[in-house]
């Protein structure tokens, strides 16, 4: 007598939605002592896509926006596109604005 195998499948099914986070701070990494990088604007808006429950629970500090001091120093245009990281399962749709201006000052 053969028994039929059984499989249980569980899935997190959510409505997909978009959520705009209006003011995520940009962090400049690797700035040496005695230097300061002033950004314009200092915060960016991000548009995210994901499950409605996932986005509702997503804290702003799980979204990171970075520029490296090395990239600032290597740039010749005065405008850079920062790196944006979002949690797994969340899609980055758009960054507003997608570029920032900077000014390097001595402290």
């Amino acid at each position: 007598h053969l028994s039929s195998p059984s499989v249980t499948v569980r899935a997190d099914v959510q409505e997909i939605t978009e959520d705009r986070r209006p003011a995520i701070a940009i962090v400049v990494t690797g700035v040496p002592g005695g230097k300061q990088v002033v950004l314009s604007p200092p915060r960016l808006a991000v548009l995210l896509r994901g499950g409605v429950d996932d986005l509702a629970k997503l804290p702003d500090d799980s979204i990171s926006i970075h520029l490296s001091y090395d990239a600032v120093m290597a740039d010749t245009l005065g405008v850079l596109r920062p790196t944006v990281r979002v949690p797994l399962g969340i899609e980055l749709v758009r960054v507003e604005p997608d570029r920032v201006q900077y000014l390097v000052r001595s402290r």
Side-chain angles (χ1 to χ4, degrees):
H1 183 306
L2 296 174
S3 64
S4 60
S6 88
V7 175
T8 302
V9 177
R10 293 184 188 193
D12 182 11
V13 179
Q14 299 179 40
E15 179 181 344
I16 299 298
T17 189
E18 291 184 349
D19 183 27
R20 185 174 188 272
R21 303 292 173 101
I24 306 297
I26 305 167
V27 175
V28 182
T29 58
V31 180
K35 296 289 184 184
Q36 177 185 19
V37 178
V38 179
L39 301 174
S40 178
R43 296 176 177 274
L44 300 179
V46 294
L47 183 63
L48 306 172
R49 182 179 295 135
V52 67
D53 295 336
D54 294 338
L55 287 174
K57 294 184 287 189
L58 187 72
D60 282 355
D61 64 4
S62 67
I63 305 160
S64 65
I65 304 178
H66 291 88
L67 276 177
S68 75
Y69 184 76
D70 290 342
V72 169
M73 296 312 296
D75 179 64
T76 58
L77 301 176
V79 178
L80 287 171
R81 185 176 304 204
T83 301
V84 181
R85 290 195 177 92
V86 296
L88 189 64
I90 302 296
E91 177 187 351
L92 177 65
V93 177
R94 184 170 52 248
V95 179
E96 302 166 350
D98 66 340
R99 296 169 197 258
V100 296
Q101 295 178 320
Y102 61 85
L103 176 64
V104 178
R105 293 184 178 163
S106 295
R107 289 186 178 216

